[in-house]
Each structure stands twice: as structure tokens, then as C-alpha cells.
Amino acid sequence: MVAYKKLFFLVFIALSLSLAQRDVPFITLHNAAERDVRMPVVGIGTGGYGNAQGQGGEFWNDTTAYNAVKQWLALGGRRIDTSIDYGTQKGIAQAIIESKIPREELFITSKVGPRFGLGYQETIDQYNTILEELQTQYVDLVLIHWPGWANGSDTPTPNCNKTDGSWKICRQDSWRALEDLFKDRKVRAIGVSNFERRHLEDIFELKSLLPSVNQVEFHPYWHEDDLVAFCKEHNILFNAYSPLGAPDHMATTWKPSILGNADIIAVAKAHQRTPAQIMLRWLLQQGIVTNPRTMNPDHMKENLDYFDFQLKETEMKQISTVINPSSVKKVCPDPNLIP
């Protein structure tokens, strides 16, 4: 098994290195995915943590998303990550329309629930809203955004949660809805986000389709290596969000930020790359795809240009063992707290 994984890794990296600059490698999805659905290894995230008053980091809405996605597409990016919860889908749609790029050349991910509810019909209704806002006939990948809310949340409890106090029935009902959308060929692939192992096992209990993707926070200050291994064991592609540690949002919490970490800066200098490129490469060499969020065209260029070098095993370990400088371990809430 170790030899097989090593061979797969070497073949994947060889393919990556053979591509010209700006060409983005892809990974073919498995499980609940149509045949030959190819997901670019890097996309642009379009959900911000800040507010309109400038607090908490970048503020994203339809206008900022339109401008960012327009730049991203012009620079050669082809994967876009959004959600019904982000309030950015209409702006994304306008940028895509104006780009005149054929729809089949793009890879769009969106997400349903739980802010707008989990459950079978809630999921169907949200997907129809996603199609309307994105002005598209299909989405390449749809995810259940969260497996539920942690206890104590002030978000209204949906009907599917009121029988046993857990979110298990809710996520199972939402998954059944996604399965039906997939079987009806209304979406090319389906998956989950922020699902820990026990949340995934709730889906496995249905003895039907398995998720093609699990999108989870993952970066040098927070990396659940056991969850990555579990996903790989079941052919679930691991997709890292906040791969750079959301430096705008965490600026006053993590000092130094991941981008300012001395070990990562040292590796970056050795390769004449930026710290962001080093972190994206660290993830790629683990077989993890990413969607870093940025409005800055220069940063977008960096995010599309980390495929022509390789980190040494010692450098991979060096990055994996950097120390989080704060008692705050994550950018987002911990899904482990969701029953």
C-alpha cells in the first residue's frame, strides 16, 4: 500500500511538473461524480470573514466577487468556490457571462445549508436558488456546507433535528437530496464540507453513494492528518479552505501569521518563492486541492504559479511541525463540536 501511494504521488507530481506555467493540474473525482469530472487543484474562494465596516478582514459581496472573479478568469483561473451563504453568486455569474469563457471550461463549486436549513426539501430548494443566482444549468460540485451547528448556536433548529437532538438525520436527508440531484444529472459531483470522520460515517451508513470531496479547513497551524488519511482511504478528495490561514481575518490573533512564520519564510527563500506558494505546494504534495481567497491580482498570479518546483521531504516535515502561536487553533468553528 505504501509503495502504491508513493507511485501515485510521483506520477501526480510528474504530471504537474510537465505542465507549462499558468496551466493548472487537475484531479479526477471518484465516488459520487460523473465519469471524468476533473477538478483543477486550485480555485478562488469567494467567502469573506469581514463586514462592510471593515472589521474582521476582507468584506465580500456581489460587487467584490465580480471584480475578483473577473481578474481570476482573465489570469487563467478556471475553478470558482462559492456558497448560497456567501452572498457572492450573482456577482460571480456576471463575471462569468462577461468573460465569454465556455461553461464547460469552468469548474464551479457551491454549497447548501445549514444556515438556510438542512433536510431533503430544503436542499432541493437551495440548489434551485444556486442555479438561479449563478445563471447556469448545472453546478460541477455541490457540497453540504456544514454537518450542522454546534450546541448553543442561535440558529433556528430545523425540523429534521428535533427528534433526537443530533444533526445526523438532517445530514442524511440532505445527502439523499444531493444523491437524487446527481442521479437526475442536475449536478456533476456531490460532496461535503467540514465533515469529521463520524459525520462521514453517518453518510456511509446509508450504504449508497460516497462523497467525492470533503472541504475542510487545513493549513500549517491546523491540519487533521488522520482525517486526510481517512478520506484518501475512501477515495474522497480532500479540499483545503483557508489554506493560507486567512491572514486578513487572523491578523490580530496569530502573531506571527502563517505567512510570517520564520520556518516557512526560510523554505520560501530557499526556493525563491513566496510563503503563500510554499504553503500551496506543501498541500499539493499531499494530494490536497485548495481555494485561497484573494482580491489581489498579484496574489492570484502567485496562486496559479507553484507547479514547477518540489519541496524536499525535510521541508515538508518542517512546515508540518510549525507551532501555532496562539490558543486560538482555527479560523472557523470546530466541526468536532457538532453533534
Side-chain angles (χ1 to χ4, degrees), residues 36-325:
D36 202 31
V37 174
R38 304 187 298 180
M39 184 174 183
V41 299
V42 65
I44 185 171
T46 62
Y49 299 101
N51 58 33
Q53 290 71 46
Q55 301 168 325
E58 289 182 345
F59 173 64
W60 282 69
N61 59 15
D62 282 322
T63 301
T64 54
Y66 164 78
N67 291 326
V69 171
K70 183 177 180 179
Q71 289 278 359
W72 176 251
L73 296 175
L75 290 168
R78 291 296 181 266
R79 178 159 69 84
I80 304 160
D81 185 276
T82 186
S83 167
I84 192 172
D85 191 33
Y86 293 167
T88 57
Q89 294 186 142
K90 294 178 181 178
I92 291 169
Q94 189 60 35
I96 291 173
I97 291 168
E98 292 183 11
S99 75
K100 300 187 184 305
I101 295 171
R103 175 65 183 86
E104 61 271 17
E105 293 184 15
L106 303 175
F107 191 105
I108 302 174
T109 301
S110 191
K111 311 176 192 75
V112 296
R115 188 176 301 278
F116 298 99
L118 288 178
Y120 187 91
Q121 192 57 47
E122 290 87 346
T123 298
I124 298 295
D125 292 344
Q126 288 174 60
Y127 185 66
N128 289 333
T129 299
I130 288 170
L131 295 181
E132 181 180 347
E133 290 187 351
L134 287 172
Q135 299 187 52
T136 184
Q137 294 182 333
Y138 68 94
V139 173
D140 297 278
L141 174 65
V142 177
L143 311 176
I144 300 175
H145 203 161
W146 287 82
W149 294 114
N151 289 331
S153 170
D154 57 4
T155 303
T157 301
N159 291 330
C160 57
N161 177 262
K162 292 178 179 176
T163 54
D164 63 0
S166 86
W167 287 84
K168 177 178 178 178
I169 294 173
C170 297
R171 40 188 176 259
Q172 288 182 334
D173 285 350
S174 288
W175 184 251
R176 289 187 180 98
L178 290 187
E179 284 187 323
D180 284 348
L181 290 169
F182 174 70
K183 290 173 182 176
D184 290 341
R185 303 181 67 84
K186 294 179 179 178
V187 58
R188 300 184 69 213
I190 56 176
V192 295
S193 179
N194 295 297
F195 273 49
E196 298 294 331
R197 175 170 178 159
R198 59 188 174 81
H199 302 135
L200 288 167
E201 288 173 342
D202 289 342
I203 304 301
F204 295 177
E205 277 185 17
L206 299 175
K207 299 187 183 304
S208 187
L209 298 173
L210 299 185
S212 61
V213 172
N214 188 15
Q215 185 178 126
V216 180
E217 179 180 343
F218 196 97
H219 46 74
Y221 282 176
W222 180 268
H223 46 99
E224 296 180 88
D225 300 324
D226 289 344
L227 182 59
V228 173
F230 182 76
C231 288
K232 287 183 178 179
E233 180 184 348
H234 294 280
N235 283 326
I236 301 170
L237 180 63
F238 202 90
N239 181 181
Y241 72 78
S242 296
L244 308 181
D248 59 319
H249 179 57
M250 303 299 289
T252 60
T253 303
W254 287 342
K255 295 182 178 180
S257 68
I258 302 177
L259 294 175
N261 180 275
D263 287 322
I264 294 174
I265 289 174
V267 176
K269 287 182 177 178
H271 289 273
Q272 297 184 318
R273 298 286 175 154
T274 66
Q277 289 173 314
I278 294 301
M279 285 191 286
L280 294 175
R281 187 70 200 185
W282 172 74
L283 288 157
L284 179 64
Q285 289 185 206
Q286 298 177 71
I288 297 173
V289 302
T290 58
N291 26 271
R293 167 183 51 84
T294 182
M295 299 179 186
N296 186 321
D298 290 333
H299 292 168
M300 293 179 195
K301 291 176 184 177
E302 291 180 15
N303 297 345
L304 288 165
D305 185 20
Y306 61 97
F307 309 119
D308 59 349
F309 72 100
Q310 188 169 347
L311 298 176
K312 301 174 184 176
E313 186 175 342
T314 54
E315 294 170 326
M316 292 288 291
K317 184 176 181 180
Q318 183 178 353
I319 296 167
S320 297
T321 54
V322 299
I323 304 300
N324 186 325

Side-chain angles (χ1 to χ4, degrees), residues 7-26:
L7 177 62
F8 171 82
F9 168 76
L10 291 173
V11 170
F12 177 74
I13 295 302
L15 288 172
S16 299
L17 295 178
S18 71
L19 295 170
Q21 187 177 15
R22 294 277 182 262
D23 285 342
V24 177
F26 59 83

